[in-house]
Amino acid sequence: MTMPVLEIRGVTKAFDDKPVLQGIDLKVEEHTAVVMIGASGSGKSSLLRCINLLVDIDDGDILLDGEVVTDPTVDPQRVRRSLAMVFQHFNLFPHVRVLDQITLAPIKAHGIPKDEAVEEGRALLARFGLADRERDYPDQLSGGQQQRVALIRAIATRPRALLLDEITSALDPELVGEVLEVVRELKEGGMTMLIATHEMAFARDVADEVCFLHQGRVVERGLGRQMIEDPQEPETQKFLARMLATRAV
Amino acid sequence: MSAEPISRREVRAAARRRSDRRNALIAAVSTIVVIGGGVLLLTTRQGWPVVQETFFSPEAFRTSFPDILRGFWIDVKLFLAVEVLVLIASLGVAVLRSTRAPALFPFRLLAAVSTDLFRGIPTILVVYLIGFGIPALALPGVPNDPIILAAFALTLSYTAYVSEVFRAGIDSVHPGQRGAALAVGLSRAQAMRFVILPQAVRNVIPPLLNDFISLQKDVALVSVLGIVEAFRVAQIDAASTFNYTPLLAAASLYVIVTVPLSLFLDRMQKRDRGRRRLEEARR
């Protein structure tokens, strides 16, 4: 078996004695998508932030391509350069135009020549239907367009894995589709992804594996369709029943 | 008899126009009565000619104004130079205080202490202390020119305020921006330079200009060092003639440079408010 791109081993994290991760184990193989579902506060977002070293973990290990990256001796910038993250609230830079938004990291953090970065940025914008928006500022775009720009910004650095933190939760319902479409396309292109989401239909369709998190633990895991349509654990069943009551799957 | 059908929209617009006209009329009448009445009251008092002669004498104005204007040129040069120095120094202090490198700890400590210190000491005391204190040391290679020492003193005093303005600006940038900057692979320094500082500076332009307005008149404090700038010239003239017109002439010069800045500031804040309202409405 090949080495997973991401491996989480017994990771724990507490904020002020309040445990948020209580021993998470998880693997993301290359070209696969692992989707985490679970109620708000179940630890999905915290785990993603720990993987990107934006938050220090308490115990356990996180491995990227077999290397333990959670040791204090590891340069976090080097790790973050091989990962990319998209946030619930986009976090685009409001003072930066769309094209520069996408080329900033390739040029400054990866040392790619400007011409090359611009050319590649334009190609990505064209591929995702935003070619006519390269001179716009974020506040001139719709929420869906902003999140698509954030996705392009994330993949412009050619990351080993993409971390998606509830990227449709802040969007109006009619804008969710266009964003998820981009993620589906990235999946087809072979992008390795770890995704936290509340979109169950999307989880079922795109995931190679779905993990249900509850109180900082993976309570159940399985193939997308089986997990969403036929969960075994009572907590999973309760959660999915609540989700089904408010949303169409 | 059937009346022309009028839409409710037209009726409301007409009512609104009537009310606008009435409000404008009331404002105009009120202004004429209050201001006009005040001026009338003042100028018909028995002592008015004395007031006019003491504060608004055209002759005293003509004799002293050229010298005051020349003195004011020193003020202008001084505040322009100090503004640039303060911008650079306070940005440096603010960024320094937000770093975390252990090697920079003593500098952070120094910056924190000097900020608190110079905010606590009256500016006039700092000017006096440096303007007279440093020449008294007679150190070789240290300038004794009172204008340079005055500029140094004002820079110290104002950097303490303005660096806090910048620091507040840095704090005002949403933490998610730093997270996003780090997540795309930028270093801490790059995140500060390309993502946080541009937003921070934009956020603090109004309070920054406010401090500069205050600096543009605080330059008069350097007169305690015997620098013959506008206020000092006016003071000398007033003292020798017992006429206070020169002081008012000097005051008007300070006003002339600060008012445009105030108006610009007002306009900018209004535009900011408008933009924020627009953003909220779009949400």
Side-chain angles (χ1 to χ4, degrees), chain A residues 5 22 61 126 129 180 191 199 218 235 239:
Chain A
V5 175
Q22 309 198 64
D61 287 310
L180 294 184
M191 180 66 78
E199 300 289 333
V218 179
E235 282 298 343
F239 170 74

Side-chain angles (χ1 to χ4, degrees), chain A residues 8 14 34 54 109 128 151 231:
Chain A
I8 321 294
V34 173
L54 290 172
F128 295 107
L151 272 163

